[in-house]
Amino acid sequence: MNQAIIIGRLTRDPEVRYTQSGTAVCTFTLAVDRPWAHSKDQQSNQPTADFIPVVTWRKLAEVCGNNLIKGRRVGVHGRIQVRSYEAQDGSKRYVTEVVAEDLEFLDSRKDSGAAAPPAGGFGQTTGAVSGGKQDQTFGPAIPDEEIPF
C-alpha cells in the first residue's frame, strides 16, 4: 500500500507546465510541521518542518495553478513516488515526491476580497478538489499574521 496524507503550507507559488502532448503538470513544495524536537543537546524545544515536493497532473494541476499561492494551507492525499534522472555532470540523482490524487484547500485565498471570519472561529469556506470537482466544507480561520512564510 502506498498512500501519503500531508497538511502544510506552500513555500512558494506553484509552477504549472505542459508536456509536449499538452498535459498540465503542477509542482510545489509544502512545509509540513513536525512535532517539536526533543534532544538532550538542545536547551529549548524548536519547531521543525519537512519540505515535501508535490506533483499534480491534468485538471488538478490547473486548479492548483489557478488557486494556490505561497503560504496557502492545503491537505494532500496521494502516493509517494521515487524517480531518478541523470544530472548534467553525469551523476544519477533521485527525487522523492508526493503525486497528489486529491487536494483540499484549508484556508481562503489571501486576495479573495471576502470578509474573513473572526480569528480562531469557524465558518471559513474551504474546498476539496478531487477529479476536478470542488466541495464546500468548513474549517478554522487562520489570520494572515500567523502564516510563517
Coordinates of all heavy atoms in Angstrom, one line a residue, residues 25-84:
V25 N 0.9 19.8 -15.7 CA 1.6 19.3 -14.5 C 2.0 20.5 -13.7 O 2.5 21.5 -14.1 CB 2.8 18.4 -14.9 CG1 3.9 19.2 -15.7 CG2 3.5 17.8 -13.7
C26 N 1.7 20.4 -12.4 CA 1.9 21.5 -11.4 C 2.8 20.9 -10.3 O 2.6 19.8 -9.8 CB 0.6 22.0 -10.9 SG 0.8 23.3 -9.6
T27 N 3.8 21.7 -10.0 CA 4.7 21.3 -8.9 C 4.8 22.4 -7.8 O 4.7 23.6 -8.2 CB 6.2 21.0 -9.4 OG1 6.7 22.2 -10.1 CG2 6.2 19.8 -10.3
F28 N 4.8 22.0 -6.6 CA 5.0 22.9 -5.5 C 5.6 22.2 -4.3 O 5.6 20.9 -4.3 CB 3.7 23.6 -5.1 CG 2.5 22.7 -4.8 CD1 2.3 22.3 -3.5 CD2 1.7 22.3 -5.8 CE1 1.2 21.4 -3.3 CE2 0.6 21.5 -5.6 CZ 0.4 21.0 -4.3
T29 N 6.0 22.9 -3.3 CA 6.6 22.3 -2.1 C 5.8 22.7 -0.9 O 5.4 23.9 -0.8 CB 8.1 22.7 -1.9 OG1 8.8 22.3 -3.1 CG2 8.7 22.1 -0.7
L30 N 5.5 21.7 0.0 CA 4.7 22.0 1.2 C 5.7 21.9 2.4 O 6.5 21.0 2.5 CB 3.6 21.0 1.4 CG 2.4 21.1 0.6 CD1 1.3 20.0 1.0 CD2 1.8 22.5 0.6
A31 N 5.6 22.9 3.3 CA 6.3 22.9 4.5 C 5.3 22.2 5.5 O 4.2 22.7 5.8 CB 6.6 24.3 5.0
V32 N 5.7 21.0 6.0 CA 4.8 20.2 6.9 C 5.5 20.2 8.2 O 6.6 19.7 8.4 CB 4.7 18.8 6.3 CG1 3.9 17.9 7.2 CG2 4.1 18.8 4.9
D33 N 4.7 20.7 9.2 CA 5.2 20.8 10.6 C 5.5 19.4 11.1 O 4.8 18.5 10.9 CB 4.2 21.5 11.5 CG 4.1 23.0 11.2 OD1 5.1 23.6 10.6 OD2 3.1 23.6 11.5
R34 N 6.6 19.3 11.9 CA 7.0 18.1 12.6 C 6.9 18.4 14.1 O 7.2 19.6 14.5 CB 8.4 17.8 12.2 CG 8.8 16.3 12.6 CD 10.2 16.0 12.3 NE 10.8 16.5 11.1 CZ 12.1 16.5 10.8 NH1 12.9 16.2 11.8 NH2 12.5 16.9 9.7
P35 N 6.5 17.4 14.9 CA 6.5 17.7 16.3 C 7.8 18.3 16.8 O 8.9 18.0 16.3 CB 6.2 16.4 17.0 CG 5.6 15.6 15.9 CD 6.2 16.1 14.6
W36 N 7.7 19.1 17.8 CA 9.0 19.7 18.3 C 10.0 18.7 18.7 O 9.7 17.7 19.3 CB 8.6 20.5 19.6 CG 7.9 21.8 19.3 CD1 7.1 22.1 18.2 CD2 7.9 23.0 20.0 NE1 6.6 23.3 18.2 CE2 7.1 23.9 19.4 CE3 8.4 23.4 21.2 CZ2 6.8 25.2 19.8 CZ3 8.2 24.6 21.7 CH2 7.4 25.5 21.0
A37 N 11.2 19.0 18.3 CA 12.3 18.0 18.5 C 12.7 18.1 20.0 O 12.8 19.1 20.6 CB 13.5 18.4 17.7
H38 N 12.9 16.9 20.6 CA 13.3 16.8 22.0 C 14.7 16.1 22.0 O 14.8 15.0 21.6 CB 12.3 15.9 22.8 CG 11.0 16.5 22.9 ND1 10.7 17.6 23.7 CD2 9.8 16.2 22.2 CE1 9.4 17.9 23.5 NE2 8.9 17.1 22.6
S39 N 15.7 16.9 22.4 CA 17.0 16.4 22.4 C 17.7 16.8 23.6 O 17.5 17.9 24.1 CB 17.8 16.9 21.1 OG 19.1 16.6 21.2
K40 N 18.6 15.9 24.1 CA 19.4 16.3 25.3 C 20.4 17.4 25.0 O 20.7 18.2 25.9 CB 20.2 15.1 25.7 CG 19.4 13.9 26.2 CD 20.3 12.7 26.5 CE 19.4 11.5 26.9 NZ 20.2 10.3 27.1
D41 N 20.8 17.6 23.8 CA 21.7 18.7 23.4 C 21.0 20.0 23.3 O 21.7 21.1 23.3 CB 22.4 18.3 22.1 CG 23.2 17.0 22.2 OD1 23.6 16.7 23.3 OD2 23.4 16.4 21.1
Q42 N 19.7 20.1 23.1 CA 19.0 21.4 22.9 C 18.5 21.9 24.3 O 18.0 21.2 25.1 CB 17.8 21.2 22.0 CG 18.3 20.9 20.6 CD 17.0 20.7 19.7 OE1 16.0 20.4 20.1 NE2 17.3 20.8 18.4
Q43 N 18.7 23.2 24.5 CA 18.2 23.8 25.7 C 16.7 24.1 25.6 O 16.0 24.1 26.6 CB 19.0 25.1 25.9 CG 20.4 24.9 26.2 CD 20.6 24.2 27.5 OE1 19.9 24.3 28.5 NE2 21.7 23.3 27.6
S44 N 16.2 24.4 24.4 CA 14.8 24.6 24.2 C 14.3 23.8 23.1 O 15.0 23.4 22.2 CB 14.6 26.1 24.0 OG 15.2 26.5 22.8
N45 N 13.0 23.6 23.1 CA 12.4 22.8 22.0 C 12.2 23.7 20.8 O 11.7 24.9 21.0 CB 11.0 22.3 22.5 CG 11.2 21.2 23.6 OD1 12.2 20.5 23.6 ND2 10.2 21.1 24.4
Q46 N 12.5 23.3 19.6 CA 12.4 24.0 18.4 C 11.5 23.4 17.5 O 11.6 22.2 17.2 CB 13.8 24.2 17.7 CG 14.9 24.9 18.6 CD 14.5 26.4 18.7 OE1 14.0 27.0 17.8 NE2 14.7 26.9 19.9
P47 N 10.5 24.1 16.9 CA 9.6 23.6 15.9 C 10.4 23.3 14.6 O 11.4 24.1 14.3 CB 8.6 24.6 15.7 CG 9.2 25.9 16.2 CD 10.2 25.5 17.2
T48 N 10.1 22.2 14.0 CA 10.8 21.9 12.7 C 9.8 21.6 11.6 O 8.6 21.4 11.9 CB 11.8 20.7 12.9 OG1 11.0 19.6 13.3 CG2 12.9 21.0 13.9
A49 N 10.2 21.6 10.4 CA 9.3 21.2 9.3 C 10.1 20.4 8.3 O 11.3 20.5 8.2 CB 8.8 22.5 8.7
D50 N 9.3 19.6 7.6 CA 9.8 18.9 6.4 C 9.3 19.6 5.2 O 8.2 20.1 5.1 CB 9.3 17.4 6.4 CG 9.9 16.6 7.6 OD1 11.2 16.6 7.7 OD2 9.1 16.1 8.3
F51 N 10.1 19.7 4.2 CA 9.8 20.4 2.9 C 9.6 19.3 1.9 O 10.5 18.7 1.4 CB 10.8 21.4 2.5 CG 10.9 22.5 3.6 CD1 11.9 22.3 4.6 CD2 10.1 23.6 3.6 CE1 11.9 23.3 5.6 CE2 10.2 24.5 4.5 CZ 11.1 24.4 5.6
I52 N 8.3 19.0 1.5 CA 7.9 17.9 0.7 C 7.5 18.4 -0.7 O 6.5 19.1 -0.8 CB 6.8 17.1 1.4 CG1 7.4 16.6 2.7 CG2 6.4 15.9 0.5 CD1 6.4 15.9 3.6
P53 N 8.1 17.9 -1.7 CA 7.7 18.3 -3.1 C 6.4 17.5 -3.5 O 6.3 16.3 -3.2 CB 8.9 17.8 -4.0 CG 9.8 17.1 -3.1 CD 9.4 17.1 -1.7
V54 N 5.5 18.2 -4.1 CA 4.2 17.7 -4.5 C 4.0 17.9 -6.0 O 4.4 19.0 -6.5 CB 3.1 18.3 -3.7 CG1 1.7 17.8 -4.2 CG2 3.2 18.1 -2.2
V55 N 3.5 16.9 -6.7 CA 3.2 17.0 -8.1 C 1.7 16.7 -8.4 O 1.2 15.7 -7.8 CB 4.1 16.0 -8.9 CG1 3.7 16.0 -10.4 CG2 5.5 16.2 -8.7
T56 N 1.1 17.5 -9.2 CA -0.3 17.2 -9.6 C -0.4 17.2 -11.1 O 0.4 17.9 -11.8 CB -1.3 18.3 -9.0 OG1 -1.0 19.6 -9.5 CG2 -1.3 18.3 -7.5
W57 N -1.3 16.5 -11.6 CA -1.5 16.3 -13.1 C -2.9 16.7 -13.6 O -3.8 16.7 -12.8 CB -1.2 14.9 -13.5 CG 0.2 14.5 -13.3 CD1 0.8 13.9 -12.2 CD2 1.3 14.5 -14.3 NE1 2.1 13.7 -12.4 CE2 2.4 14.1 -13.7 CE3 1.3 15.0 -15.6 CZ2 3.6 14.0 -14.3 CZ3 2.5 14.9 -16.3 CH2 3.7 14.4 -15.6
R58 N -3.0 17.0 -14.8 CA -4.2 17.3 -15.6 C -5.0 18.4 -15.0 O -4.5 19.5 -14.7 CB -5.0 16.0 -15.8 CG -4.2 14.9 -16.6 CD -4.9 13.6 -16.6 NE -4.0 12.6 -17.2 CZ -3.0 12.0 -16.5 NH1 -2.8 12.3 -15.2 NH2 -2.3 11.1 -17.1
K59 N -6.3 18.1 -14.8 CA -7.2 19.2 -14.3 C -6.8 19.6 -12.9 O -6.9 20.8 -12.6 CB -8.7 18.6 -14.3 CG -9.7 19.6 -13.8 CD -9.9 20.7 -14.8 CE -11.0 21.6 -14.3 NZ -11.1 22.8 -15.1
L60 N -6.4 18.7 -12.0 CA -6.0 19.1 -10.7 C -4.8 20.1 -10.7 O -4.7 21.0 -9.9 CB -5.7 17.9 -9.8 CG -5.3 18.1 -8.4 CD1 -6.4 18.9 -7.6 CD2 -5.1 16.8 -7.7
A61 N -3.9 19.9 -11.7 CA -2.8 20.7 -11.9 C -3.2 22.2 -12.2 O -2.7 23.1 -11.7 CB -1.8 20.2 -12.9
E62 N -4.2 22.3 -13.1 CA -4.7 23.6 -13.5 C -5.4 24.3 -12.3 O -5.3 25.5 -12.1 CB -5.6 23.4 -14.7 CG -4.9 23.0 -15.9 CD -5.8 22.7 -17.1 OE1 -7.0 22.7 -17.0 OE2 -5.3 22.5 -18.2
V63 N -6.2 23.5 -11.5 CA -6.9 24.0 -10.4 C -5.8 24.6 -9.4 O -6.0 25.7 -8.8 CB -7.8 23.0 -9.7 CG1 -8.2 23.5 -8.3 CG2 -8.9 22.6 -10.6
C64 N -4.8 23.8 -9.1 CA -3.7 24.3 -8.2 C -3.0 25.5 -8.7 O -2.8 26.5 -8.0 CB -2.7 23.2 -8.0 SG -3.3 21.8 -7.1
G65 N -2.7 25.5 -10.0 CA -2.0 26.7 -10.6 C -2.9 28.0 -10.5 O -2.3 29.1 -10.4
N66 N -4.2 27.8 -10.6 CA -5.1 29.0 -10.6 C -5.5 29.4 -9.2 O -6.0 30.5 -9.0 CB -6.4 28.7 -11.4 CG -6.1 28.5 -12.9 OD1 -5.2 29.2 -13.4 ND2 -6.9 27.7 -13.5
N67 N -5.3 28.5 -8.2 CA -5.9 28.9 -6.9 C -4.9 28.9 -5.7 O -5.2 29.4 -4.6 CB -7.0 27.9 -6.5 CG -8.2 28.0 -7.4 OD1 -8.9 29.0 -7.3 ND2 -8.3 27.1 -8.3
L68 N -3.7 28.3 -5.9 CA -2.7 28.2 -4.8 C -1.7 29.3 -4.9 O -1.3 29.7 -6.0 CB -2.0 26.9 -4.8 CG -2.9 25.7 -4.5 CD1 -2.0 24.4 -4.6 CD2 -3.6 25.8 -3.2
I69 N -1.3 29.8 -3.8 CA -0.3 30.9 -3.7 C 0.6 30.5 -2.5 O 0.2 29.8 -1.6 CB -0.9 32.3 -3.5 CG1 -1.8 32.4 -2.3 CG2 -1.6 32.7 -4.8 CD1 -2.3 33.8 -2.0
K70 N 1.7 31.1 -2.4 CA 2.7 31.0 -1.3 C 2.0 31.2 0.0 O 1.2 32.2 0.1 CB 3.9 31.9 -1.5 CG 4.8 31.9 -0.3 CD 6.0 32.9 -0.5 CE 6.9 32.9 0.7 NZ 8.0 33.9 0.5
G71 N 2.2 30.3 1.0 CA 1.6 30.5 2.3 C 0.3 29.8 2.5 O -0.2 29.7 3.6
R72 N -0.4 29.4 1.4 CA -1.7 28.8 1.5 C -1.6 27.4 2.1 O -0.7 26.7 1.8 CB -2.3 28.7 0.0 CG -3.7 28.2 -0.1 CD -4.6 29.3 -0.4 NE -6.0 28.8 -0.1 CZ -6.9 28.6 -1.1 NH1 -6.7 28.8 -2.3 NH2 -8.1 28.3 -0.7
R73 N -2.5 27.1 3.0 CA -2.5 25.8 3.7 C -3.4 24.9 3.0 O -4.6 25.2 2.7 CB -3.1 26.1 5.1 CG -3.0 24.9 6.0 CD -3.3 25.2 7.4 NE -3.1 24.1 8.3 CZ -4.1 23.5 8.9 NH1 -5.3 23.9 8.8 NH2 -3.9 22.5 9.7
V74 N -2.9 23.7 2.7 CA -3.6 22.7 1.9 C -3.4 21.3 2.5 O -2.4 21.0 3.2 CB -3.3 22.6 0.4 CG1 -3.6 23.9 -0.3 CG2 -1.8 22.3 0.2
G75 N -4.3 20.4 2.3 CA -4.2 19.0 2.6 C -4.0 18.2 1.3 O -4.8 18.5 0.3
V76 N -3.1 17.3 1.3 CA -2.9 16.5 0.0 C -3.0 15.0 0.4 O -2.5 14.5 1.4 CB -1.5 16.8 -0.5 CG1 -1.1 15.9 -1.7 CG2 -1.4 18.3 -0.9
H77 N -3.7 14.3 -0.5 CA -3.8 12.8 -0.4 C -3.2 12.3 -1.8 O -3.6 12.8 -2.8 CB -5.2 12.4 -0.2 CG -5.3 10.9 -0.4 ND1 -5.9 10.3 -1.4 CD2 -5.0 9.9 0.5 CE1 -5.9 9.0 -1.3 NE2 -5.3 8.7 -0.1
G78 N -2.3 11.4 -1.7 CA -1.7 10.8 -2.9 C -0.8 9.7 -2.6 O -1.0 9.0 -1.6
R79 N 0.2 9.5 -3.4 CA 1.2 8.4 -3.3 C 2.6 8.9 -3.3 O 2.9 10.0 -3.9 CB 1.0 7.4 -4.3 CG 1.2 7.8 -5.7 CD 0.9 6.8 -6.8 NE 0.9 7.3 -8.1 CZ 2.0 7.6 -8.8 NH1 3.2 7.2 -8.3 NH2 2.0 8.1 -10.0
I80 N 3.5 8.2 -2.7 CA 4.9 8.6 -2.7 C 5.5 8.0 -4.0 O 5.3 6.8 -4.3 CB 5.6 8.1 -1.4 CG1 5.0 8.9 -0.2 CG2 7.1 8.4 -1.6 CD1 5.6 8.4 1.1
Q81 N 6.3 8.8 -4.7 CA 7.0 8.3 -5.9 C 8.5 8.6 -5.8 O 8.8 9.7 -5.4 CB 6.4 9.0 -7.1 CG 7.1 8.7 -8.4 CD 6.4 9.4 -9.5 OE1 5.4 8.9 -10.0 NE2 6.9 10.6 -9.9
V82 N 9.3 7.7 -6.1 CA 10.7 7.9 -6.2 C 11.1 7.7 -7.7 O 10.8 6.7 -8.3 CB 11.5 6.9 -5.3 CG1 13.0 7.1 -5.5 CG2 11.1 7.0 -3.9
R83 N 11.8 8.7 -8.2 CA 12.3 8.6 -9.6 C 13.7 9.1 -9.7 O 14.2 9.7 -8.7 CB 11.4 9.5 -10.5 CG 11.4 10.9 -10.2 CD 10.4 11.7 -11.1 NE 10.3 13.1 -10.7 CZ 11.1 14.1 -11.0 NH1 12.2 13.9 -11.8 NH2 10.9 15.3 -10.5
S84 N 14.4 8.7 -10.7 CA 15.8 9.1 -10.9 C 16.0 9.8 -12.3 O 15.2 9.6 -13.2 CB 16.7 7.9 -10.7 OG 16.4 7.0 -11.8

